Amino acid sequence: MQSNQQKFQDYLLKEKNYSILTALAYGKDLQFFQKFLEKDFDSTPLEEVSYTLIRSWVVSMVDAEMSNTSVNRKIASLKAFYKFLLKTKQIEINPLSKHKALKTAKKIQIPFSEEELDKVLTQIEYKEGFEGVRDKLIIDLFYTTGIRRSELISLQISNTDLVAGTIKVIGKRNKERMIPLLPVIIQGVKMYLTERKQLPLIIDSDNLILLSNGNKGNETFVYRLINDYFSNVSEKVKKSPHMLRHTFATHMLNHGADLNSIKELLGHSSLASTQVYTNSSLAELKNVYQNAHPRNQK
């Protein structure tokens, strides 16, 4: 007979369409809490936990100098578990129903500048042949579509319509969205597909982005590619695919795009997720304002 934790994992995978890695992360957080119960509360069953006990766990994590962000993530996993128990009538009251997340400092991520993007896309010398064309296309796809790393890796050739100038992206929880392609990207895809045909072996033929050995690209490869290329033009500490997604949204905002349009392009479920990018826009505006206003020149 399955335990409630196992049923919860199945629920995340099959009904919520979470990835295996996300479901495993939730499971690890539950196990972490369970170890706390075993150590300090005589192995109280998860189904019988009170908020007072959970509060003790929060205090113990804070005392252990765990960041508020990490604490909030673990509590979020626990909250989702109790929502599941409530839904399946395993409990009558969610002990976390009135819990308020710990305050966290809002970090403004400074995106790549337009100058840095121009340098990477027009001034760096790429390798000849397949690898060079592929690398440039990956960077350009991130910057012009705002897709996630996992979405780029799973792009299918069949979902790339170069006549209509669109790609179909499978996002979080298997949600699909259509993203328009700029003419420069359509041309880049055509060049890439021509080079791709020259590979001696193609294993994952359905996937758009391949490694030189014919296998589909993976997360480590894509992360290293972005980090390596942008290390040539940027002093920023964080040089990642997500930073390019962040840059896409910020540059769109700076050039007059409205939040709702950016929300749809990014595949966000709520506008609140998109509004975080306004912080970078504001930071740039503040910088321009302070440097340009006459009252700040004296």
Side-chain angles (χ1 to χ4, degrees), residues 12 15 19 54 73 111 118 154 190 194 218 226 236 281:
L12 293 178
E15 292 194 39
S19 70
I54 295 172
R73 195 204 73 235
D118 183 65
S154 61
K190 288 179 179 178
T194 299
N218 56 66
I226 299 302
K236 291 181 176 66
S281 239

Side-chain angles (χ1 to χ4, degrees), residues 258-264 268-278:
D258 65 279
L259 274 175
N260 272 312
S261 298
I262 295 172
K263 168 184 171 291
E264 294 301 317
H268 283 160
S269 57
S270 71
L271 197 58
S273 301
T274 314
Q275 285 173 329
V276 66
Y277 297 109
T278 62

Side-chain angles (χ1 to χ4, degrees), residues 235-297:
E235 297 295 324
K236 291 181 176 66
V237 175
K238 191 171 183 180
K239 296 179 278 287
S240 66
H242 184 74
M243 186 56 73
L244 269 175
R245 177 172 162 86
H246 185 68
T247 300
F248 160 80
T250 304
H251 289 185
M252 289 282 286
L253 272 174
N254 290 343
H255 284 271
D258 65 279
L259 274 175
N260 272 312
S261 298
I262 295 172
K263 168 184 171 291
E264 294 301 317
L265 289 167
L266 291 173
H268 283 160
S269 57
S270 71
L271 197 58
S273 301
T274 314
Q275 285 173 329
V276 66
Y277 297 109
T278 62
N279 292 332
S280 297
S281 239
L282 185 59
E284 181 173 318
L285 182 62
K286 185 178 179 181
N287 184 50
V288 171
Y289 171 74
Q290 289 180 337
N291 288 332
H293 200 284
R295 287 285 288 165
N296 205 36
Q297 309 302 314

